[in-house]
Amino acid sequence: MSNSDQSALKPGTVYREALRIAGEKVHRDRTIEVAYPYTGEVIATVPKATLDDVRNA
């Protein structure tokens, strides 16, 4: 997220991010949780890339 996006973050919301591959936003069923380091609260999820995603990137 860019700095301008961070100002719009809402506490308690879990954001679902996408991979960016060749200019496309890609979502996957398998995800990785991103936790805020000071509280351990999950603040976002990111897709877990497949081997094909890595090759395409």
Side-chain angles (χ1 to χ4, degrees):
M1 288 185 190
S2 70
N3 285 340
S4 62
D5 291 339
Q6 289 177 350
S7 63
L9 295 179
K10 296 180 182 148
T13 301
V14 177
Y15 293 89
R16 185 173 179 248
E17 293 294 324
L19 294 170
R20 273 71 169 184
I21 300 175
E24 306 259 339
K25 289 185 177 183
V26 179
H27 290 277
R28 295 285 175 250
D29 291 333
R30 294 175 54 185
T31 60
I32 300 168
E33 293 182 340
V34 179
Y36 186 64
Y38 298 105
T39 64
E41 175 187 14
V42 174
I43 58 172
T45 63
V46 293
K48 187 172 184 177
T50 65
L51 185 54
D52 284 337
D53 289 335
V54 174
R55 288 181 180 136
N56 290 333

